[in-house]
Amino acid sequence: MSSPPRTACMNVDVDLSPLRATLEDAGVDGYLIDDDASDSDQRYLSGFTAPDSYQTLVTGDGIHLLVSGLEYGRAQSEAAADSVTRRAAYDYQELVGQYGPYEGKLRTIAAFLEDHGVDSIAVPRTFPTGTADGLREHGLEVTVESKGVVEEIRASKTPWERDQIRRTQKANEAAMARAEELIAAAEVADDGTLLADGEALTSERVKEAIEVTLLRHGCGLDDTIVACGADGSDPHDRGSGPLRAEELIVIDIFPRDTETGYFADMTRTFARGDPGEEARRRYEVTKEAYEAALEAVEPGVTGGAVHDVVCDVIEGAGYETLRSDPTTETGFIHSTGHGVGLDIHEQPSVSPAGGELEAGHVLTIEPGIYDPAVGGVRIEDLVVVTEDGVENLTDYRVALDPRSS
Amino acid sequence: MSSPPRTACMNVDVDLSPLRATLEDAGVDGYLIDDDASDSDQRYLSGFTAPDSYQTLVTGDGIHLLVSGLEYGRAQSEAAADSVTRRAAYDYQELVGQYGPYEGKLRTIAAFLEDHGVDSIAVPRTFPTGTADGLREHGLEVTVESKGVVEEIRASKTPWERDQIRRTQKANEAAMARAEELIAAAEVADDGTLLADGEALTSERVKEAIEVTLLRHGCGLDDTIVACGADGSDPHDRGSGPLRAEELIVIDIFPRDTETGYFADMTRTFARGDPGEEARRRYEVTKEAYEAALEAVEPGVTGGAVHDVVCDVIEGAGYETLRSDPTTETGFIHSTGHGVGLDIHEQPSVSPAGGELEAGHVLTIEPGIYDPAVGGVRIEDLVVVTEDGVENLTDYRVALDPRSS
């Protein structure tokens, strides 16, 4: 890969001292991850991404990778590691031949740890139990680091990371604009169905236009929500079928930059024509809650307090929340927000249990109100906590009516 | 989501009796997965997919899901489960408020297990150590199922699954045809660079065309390889920059159907103009190895034996393999193939340690020969093992020269 390995730049400003302090407090020699690059902690620590599993070891003196022969050359040139070793150095294939893939892998990792003078390790909560129990049988001390210290480190974004997230959100804005344009330009059939080029403008067609736009901006995505009417009242319903006039249309896009791995996230609620008084009221209440939350965010305030601000507004307008009724299926039925980075959902949490926000945290603010009888409203921006408040990484009108008609 | 939940159909023909036999042998009450749907074992067993973590419990009498309130409605209508419980039924939010997110989650899972009369569980190797150790502290017996019985079950595809994989491979063929067409239709500049519309035809442009084609066929992908010249000699290099005439161009596409989650996989090696005698020879040797492997595949033959057939051909032609030299960085430097399904790399393995192939296994055959001085060659088809041999799921010419010139 001859393009500049942007992932490798990332770690320049990363401060791993909280992790090393945790290791010291626990009295262990190292921190081990055994996963593939879908584990964002590993991608973050190693500055490397590979489709198959590899191991990242953080010790007091460095970051050490254990990779397959296939990944060895690329890891050497791209990874943000102090050393890269290939599994063949510990006779991996021979061990697999002799003991099978499970035990062969364990013995290879045990040899790698021994090579680095490591007898005891802390591991993330998600560390594979098979590897943990297996290494214990080989005499290693394995303890779970249960606070999620790497997730905590990741929550505060370096300036480089903020730039990556902003870049992904720019792509997101282009995709949202394309979707809005399709809804605004559609014709309305007699039965209220939106039409484009003489055919129903479906959720699927709008999603395809979003995805093609994102692709052209270097982003991919697993999923997009374009949900009309009752579909939009289930916050995770992806939506399907024809879009209709005079109904709420929730569009939630969460793309990932293919190269850097950084996500962005944004939701807007549109309507073509008048969705009715109750829908318009819910939109205004949601907007008020969203503005109140943006106003509340600053360092030292807890995610729980920001969530309470949103619940106050929504309950004050007469709708249920999970705070007023933990089993409600209508009203405001999710958290106010979540961190965004190499994962689409990461620390910090803007929910009842959410802890203190810090400068550098990147998070969503996304209140919503849902009811199958009315549809769904959600407004979501992506912001970064600054020294004295918040900087919005989202540059898109709050929305509702595409060229109102 | 009102479109037919295809994932839910999948499990109709799935036979979980090997899993239940394993539980009985181990004397445990259930099998538990704690992950999100990126864990394909969980997606397979639950017939459900969600962005955040949920739990799947298999007992002697059924499949039981524990999900967030946000996923509850969708899980009830889509999942292939006998029961779906939401976390709020065990006071999840209150427990998180009282004990924090880690212990709160553990107590919720412990209550869910108690509710189903489960005191002892087997877990997959990848099960989070944090959950395993935490449940042990709550008195549960947790043992690792180390053979990978669910992966083994998944290796044999039901007729429905084969149809899904075939469908993804159809999309793949359309994308490969589009890439080949771009290379064939390009002009050749004086310095050998391929040009399209007056600008360099780059790896990036071809990848974009591939991705747009896949999108229109309902597929997504994380990555594609379009690697020219020396780039192609590193099997996992994604390639970048201008494509050139008289060089080998390796294109490896591994899309995933967005809805069903089933992957496909195919590689072709192209050249515009004559890549030289040595490159042509390597192509012919690779093709011979590929044909010999396809000939060798049948039930009862091991993946290791098929891999040996490939090594025999390639070593016989005078090139190194990892069998002849485990540290070689040129020649044939990966396995012959891997299973493909809900994961791009799954069982069975067509490698030195690969076990017996069975009818219903879906796997790749992908020999290759690599050297920075010459470039890379790889030919990869996706096949299903039948009662008496192999059925090729790939309908694409073996390749090399786009409209030879």
Side-chain angles (χ1 to χ4, degrees):
Chain A
M1 188 132 156
S2 47
S3 65
R6 269 184 270 176
T7 47
C9 314
M10 185 186 84
N11 277 357
V12 171
D13 297 315
V14 164
D15 176 12
L16 292 185
S17 59
L19 174 59
R20 294 213 163 92
T22 299
L23 298 181
E24 206 161 315
D25 288 351
V28 298
D29 302 329
Y31 182 79
L32 183 69
I33 301 188
D34 168 28
D35 208 325
D36 57 33
S38 67
D39 181 316
S40 296
D41 283 358
Q42 167 140 285
R43 183 170 182 164
Y44 185 84
L45 291 176
S46 66
F48 186 62
T49 161
D52 295 315
S53 92
Y54 62 103
Q55 288 74 38
T56 301
L57 172 68
V58 180
T59 60
D61 71 345
I63 299 174
H64 310 284
L65 301 197
L66 178 63
V67 303
S68 73
L70 199 60
E71 303 292 355
Y72 183 59
R74 207 166 53 78
Q76 280 185 307
S77 63
E78 290 183 14
D82 298 285
S83 80
V84 177
T85 310
R86 70 178 112 183
R87 298 192 298 219
Y90 306 113
D91 303 320
Y92 172 68
Q93 285 294 351
E94 292 79 349
L95 290 170
V96 166
Q98 197 170 348
Y99 300 104
Y102 179 57
E103 181 64 22
K105 176 181 165 178
L106 284 173
R107 286 176 184 246
T108 305
I109 296 175
F112 167 69
L113 293 174
E114 193 183 346
D115 209 14
H116 287 283
V118 168
D119 292 325
S120 55
I121 52 172
V123 299
R125 290 172 293 201
T126 55
F127 191 83
T129 303
T131 310
D133 285 5
L135 290 175
R136 284 164 177 160
E137 279 169 28
H138 283 279
L140 276 115
E141 191 191 306
V142 181
T143 51
V144 175
E145 190 290 293
S146 67
K147 281 189 316 181
V149 64
V150 179
E151 286 167 291
E152 268 172 43
I153 294 171
R154 283 174 48 209
S156 283
K157 269 63 181 180
T158 65
W160 182 86
E161 289 183 287
R162 287 177 224 175
D163 286 347
Q164 307 320 308
I165 295 168
R166 200 178 274 113
R167 193 170 91 140
T168 312
Q169 190 76 324
K170 280 273 158 261
N172 204 350
E173 289 157 10
M176 189 67 83
R178 178 78 189 110
E180 178 172 0
E181 186 184 300
L182 284 170
I183 294 167
E187 288 183 77
V188 181
D190 292 343
D191 68 353
T193 303
L194 299 187
L195 300 175
D197 303 323
E199 291 192 27
L201 181 64
T202 57
S203 166
E204 289 81 355
R205 284 179 72 187
V206 175
K207 283 190 241 184
E208 183 182 305
I210 289 168
E211 290 172 7
V212 168
T213 306
L214 290 173
L215 249 175
R216 296 197 194 285
H217 285 78
C219 292
L221 78 179
D222 281 341
D223 234 332
T224 306
I225 295 172
V226 177
C228 180
D231 281 359
S233 69
D234 177 348
H236 273 197
D237 191 320
R238 279 73 175 150
S240 61
L243 304 180
R244 294 175 304 279
E246 300 180 1
E247 301 223 26
L248 296 167
I249 302 173
V250 178
I251 302 190
D252 186 348
I253 316 180
F254 33 103
R256 184 178 212 188
D257 186 284
T258 306
E259 198 168 344
T260 67
Y262 282 88
F263 280 93
D265 201 350
M266 170 171 35
T267 305
R268 288 296 183 266
T269 304
F270 300 105
R272 181 69 190 276
D274 183 2
E277 192 183 335
E278 176 57 23
R280 277 186 280 112
R281 179 169 189 267
R282 284 161 184 244
Y283 171 79
E284 292 302 331
V285 172
T286 302
K287 189 176 168 194
E288 194 188 323
Y290 146 91
E291 286 164 351
L294 288 179
E295 192 62 39
V297 172
E298 63 179 21
V301 168
T302 66
V306 176
H307 183 69
D308 276 335
V309 165
V310 167
C311 291
D312 288 347
V313 173
I314 293 176
E315 290 169 17
Y319 302 105
E320 295 286 0
T321 74
L322 288 175
R323 184 179 74 172
S324 61
D325 172 6
T327 64
T328 183
E329 292 179 17
T330 62
F332 177 43
I333 52 177
H334 52 70
S335 307
T336 293
H338 53 85
V340 171
L342 286 172
D343 283 326
I344 181 63
H345 289 161
E346 59 178 48
Q347 289 301 315
S349 172
V350 191
S351 69
E356 274 194 16
L357 302 180
E358 295 174 21
H361 281 179
V362 169
L363 50 89
T364 68
I365 294 294
E366 49 177 314
I369 305 178
Y370 310 88
D371 189 328
V374 184
V377 177
R378 184 164 64 257
I379 300 170
E380 176 184 33
D381 275 2
L382 187 59
V383 306
V384 56
V385 183
T386 60
E387 293 300 334
D388 59 357
V390 79
E391 180 195 339
N392 203 321
L393 301 176
T394 319
D395 181 16
Y396 205 97
R397 174 166 78 66
V398 181
L400 205 109
D401 58 337
R403 329 297 123 80
S404 43
S405 74
Chain B
M1 189 132 158
S2 46
S3 65
R6 269 186 268 175
T7 47
C9 314
M10 188 187 81
N11 277 358
V12 169
D13 296 316
V14 165
D15 177 13
L16 292 184
S17 58
L19 174 58
R20 294 211 163 95
T22 299
L23 298 181
E24 205 161 315
D25 289 350
V28 298
D29 302 331
Y31 182 80
L32 182 69
I33 300 186
D34 169 28
D35 208 323
D36 57 32
S38 68
D39 180 315
S40 296
D41 283 358
Q42 168 140 283
R43 182 169 183 165
Y44 184 85
L45 291 175
S46 66
F48 186 62
T49 163
D52 295 315
S53 92
Y54 61 102
Q55 289 74 35
T56 301
L57 172 68
V58 180
T59 60
D61 71 343
I63 298 174
H64 310 284
L65 301 197
L66 177 64
V67 302
S68 73
L70 200 59
E71 303 293 355
Y72 184 59
R74 208 167 52 80
Q76 282 185 305
S77 62
E78 289 183 14
D82 298 286
S83 81
V84 177
T85 310
R86 72 178 111 185
R87 299 192 297 219
Y90 307 111
D91 302 322
Y92 173 67
Q93 286 294 353
E94 292 80 349
L95 290 170
V96 166
Q98 196 170 349
Y99 300 102
Y102 179 58
E103 181 65 22
K105 177 182 165 176
L106 284 173
R107 286 178 185 246
T108 304
I109 296 175
F112 167 68
L113 293 174
E114 192 183 347
D115 208 12
H116 287 284
V118 168
D119 292 323
S120 56
I121 51 171
V123 299
R125 291 171 294 200
T126 56
F127 191 84
T129 304
T131 310
D133 285 4
L135 289 176
R136 284 165 177 157
E137 279 169 28
H138 282 279
L140 275 115
E141 190 192 306
V142 180
T143 52
V144 175
E145 190 289 294
S146 67
K147 282 188 315 179
V149 63
V150 178
E151 285 167 292
E152 268 172 42
I153 294 171
R154 281 173 50 208
S156 284
K157 270 61 180 181
T158 65
W160 182 87
E161 289 183 288
R162 287 177 224 174
D163 286 346
Q164 307 319 309
I165 294 168
R166 198 178 276 114
R167 193 169 89 140
T168 311
Q169 189 75 324
K170 281 270 158 264
N172 204 351
E173 290 156 12
M176 188 66 83
R178 178 78 188 110
E180 178 172 0
E181 185 183 301
L182 284 169
I183 294 167
E187 287 184 77
V188 181
D190 292 343
D191 68 352
T193 303
L194 300 187
L195 302 174
D197 303 323
E199 292 192 27
L201 181 64
T202 58
S203 167
E204 289 81 356
R205 285 178 70 188
V206 174
K207 283 189 241 185
E208 183 182 305
I210 288 168
E211 291 172 6
V212 169
T213 307
L214 289 173
L215 250 175
R216 297 197 195 284
H217 284 79
C219 291
L221 77 178
D222 281 340
D223 233 332
T224 306
I225 294 172
V226 177
C228 180
D231 280 0
S233 69
D234 177 348
H236 273 196
D237 191 320
R238 280 74 174 150
S240 61
L243 304 181
R244 295 175 304 280
E246 300 180 0
E247 299 223 28
L248 296 168
I249 302 172
V250 178
I251 303 190
D252 187 348
I253 316 178
F254 33 102
R256 185 179 210 186
D257 187 283
T258 307
E259 198 168 344
T260 67
Y262 282 89
F263 280 93
D265 201 349
M266 169 170 36
T267 305
R268 287 296 183 267
T269 305
F270 300 104
R272 181 67 190 276
D274 184 2
E277 192 183 336
E278 177 57 24
R280 277 185 280 111
R281 178 168 190 266
R282 284 162 184 243
Y283 172 78
E284 291 303 330
V285 172
T286 303
K287 189 176 168 196
E288 194 189 323
Y290 147 91
E291 285 164 352
L294 289 179
E295 191 63 37
V297 172
E298 64 180 20
V301 170
T302 66
V306 175
H307 183 69
D308 277 335
V309 165
V310 167
C311 291
D312 288 346
V313 173
I314 293 176
E315 291 170 17
Y319 302 106
E320 295 286 0
T321 73
L322 288 175
R323 187 180 71 174
S324 61
D325 173 6
T327 65
T328 184
E329 292 180 16
T330 63
F332 177 44
I333 52 177
H334 53 69
S335 308
T336 293
H338 52 85
V340 171
L342 286 172
D343 284 326
I344 181 60
H345 289 162
E346 59 177 50
Q347 291 299 318
S349 172
V350 191
S351 70
E356 276 195 16
L357 302 180
E358 293 174 22
H361 282 179
V362 168
L363 49 91
T364 68
I365 293 295
E366 49 175 315
I369 304 178
Y370 309 89
D371 190 329
V374 184
V377 177
R378 184 164 65 257
I379 301 169
E380 176 184 31
D381 276 2
L382 187 57
V383 305
V384 56
V385 183
T386 60
E387 292 301 334
D388 57 357
V390 77
E391 181 194 338
N392 203 322
L393 301 176
T394 319
D395 182 15
Y396 205 95
R397 175 166 80 66
V398 181
L400 205 110
D401 56 339
R403 327 295 123 81
S404 42
S405 72

